[in-house]
Amino acid sequence: MKQTDLDAALDGLPLGRLAYFERIGSTNDLAAQWAASGAPDLSLIVADEQTEGRGRAGRQWFTPPGAALAFTVLLRPSGNTSSSHLPRYTGLGALVVCETLAADFGLQSQIKWPNDVLIARHKACGVLAEAHWLGEELQAILLGIGINVAPPSVPPDEQLNFPATCVEAHTGAPIDRLALLRRVLEKLIEWRKVLNTPQFIAAWQARLAFVGEWVQISAGSSQDIIGKLLGLDDGGRLKLELRSGEIKSVQVGEVHLRPSVDSQPK
Ligand code: BTN
């Protein structure tokens, strides 16, 4: 990957600032600096390698050179964006990756709510959407996307908290990372226009993994919730049916599949 190749690959897209790094700590960290210094909407940072790539819940994100697609898009919120819309940005990142994999490679992928893209139930991409505030005012959303493209981008077993894969393992052919980036950005620009509509939630839900399966949601300090995954509510929260029959929506948390031995309601 080279800056000139990146410029050529993204030619004509309505981007703000654009920077490419052969090696960086984390594209999301630099994007936070850009947000503070007034970078315009749709500014983009792309890296071939990250030495301090970050995932959700303080996890590391593995980005060795030459194998992954790692980038952050800085989005300036529209006037009517409130904090209740923020989870949609994670969904936006995951949805546009799924849509691109389907359109360009015929790959059926799914979203492990809220932020993972799975191919054949293995993680191939993660999304880290971070909000940048100035006091009470939302200044920017930093949408970081990491796609495992070639086999070396799949983390070693000891770093995995969920089985992982890469896109090339399923296409059986090498992928042009810059062409993939362009397609993801094109879709992001389109889907963002309908982010606050039921159409967006419907598309996100249609890609949801584990629907109808029993899952356990862990959310840090609060107690885990076990339920059958039903889908999304109209705010993009995960909707579950508890063992009691109660329907509950959760806003944050990590989805774990229930082990088959106790996956049925008691
Ligand atoms: C996750 O699965 O927990 C989210 C992973 C997000 C990784 C991307 S790679 C580009 C951007 N920079 C980072 O440091 N993280 C995100």
Side-chain angles (χ1 to χ4, degrees):
M1 236 193 246
K2 290 204 303 274
Q3 173 85 49
T4 46
D5 296 341
L6 181 69
D7 292 343
L10 303 184
D11 187 40
L13 292 182
L15 299 176
R17 253 170 101 178
L18 171 62
Y20 166 72
F21 294 85
E22 248 171 48
R23 178 190 265 194
I24 197 173
S26 156
T27 54
N28 266 49
D29 288 348
L30 181 61
Q33 294 173 25
W34 280 21
S37 64
D41 186 42
L42 283 172
S43 289
L44 174 69
I45 302 166
V46 183
D48 187 51
E49 176 185 6
Q50 293 185 115
T51 54
E52 289 166 65
R54 296 188 286 108
R56 284 177 82 240
R59 295 199 190 96
Q60 290 181 351
W61 182 259
F62 184 64
T63 319
L69 193 51
F71 62 96
T72 302
V73 193
L74 184 156
L75 300 171
R76 295 287 178 189
S78 58
N80 60 358
T81 305
S82 72
S83 51
S84 70
H85 291 125
L86 289 177
R88 290 176 189 240
Y89 284 89
T90 309
L92 174 67
L95 176 64
V96 297
V97 171
C98 288
E99 295 273 312
T100 304
L101 295 177
D104 290 16
F105 307 108
L107 286 179
Q108 285 316 311
S109 55
Q110 289 189 304
I111 299 171
K112 176 174 172 282
W113 184 92
N115 71 315
D116 295 338
V117 174
L118 309 181
I119 306 175
R121 293 168 83 99
H122 286 59
K123 179 165 173 171
C125 163
V127 177
L128 180 67
E130 297 181 309
H132 186 85
W133 299 89
L134 188 64
E136 302 276 281
E137 207 178 317
L138 179 63
Q139 296 282 299
I141 293 102
L142 315 174
L143 190 58
I145 301 184
I147 307 178
N148 301 342
V149 178
S153 64
V154 178
D157 281 352
E158 63 274 13
Q159 281 186 34
L160 290 179
N161 70 329
F162 193 84
T165 187
C166 65
V167 183
E168 286 184 0
H170 299 270
T171 57
I175 287 174
D176 177 342
R177 284 180 292 159
L178 292 179
L180 175 62
L181 173 63
R182 182 185 177 97
R183 296 286 286 149
V184 170
L185 292 171
E186 284 172 352
K187 296 215 175 288
L188 192 146
I189 290 164
E190 285 310 306
W191 276 103
R192 180 195 187 191
K193 293 178 188 157
V194 292
L195 193 64
N196 294 336
T197 66
Q199 181 197 349
F200 174 76
I201 298 289
W204 184 5
Q205 164 153 285
R207 295 276 180 197
L208 215 54
F210 311 139
V211 174
E213 296 186 51
W214 284 83
V215 296
Q216 180 159 351
I217 312 294
S218 55
S221 51
S222 45
Q223 222 189 347
D224 285 6
I225 299 168
I226 295 169
K228 197 189 320 172
L229 200 154
L230 297 181
L232 297 176
D233 72 7
D234 54 13
R237 289 171 292 262
L238 195 66
K239 218 164 51 176
L240 302 165
E241 183 183 343
L242 307 188
R243 284 170 174 160
S244 62
E246 184 195 339
I247 307 293
K248 192 173 174 73
S249 289
V250 292
Q251 170 102 38
V252 285
E254 181 121 9
V255 175
H256 306 277
L257 272 176
R258 290 291 286 168
S260 55
V261 63
D262 63 350
S263 62
Q264 298 304 312
K266 303 250 163 22

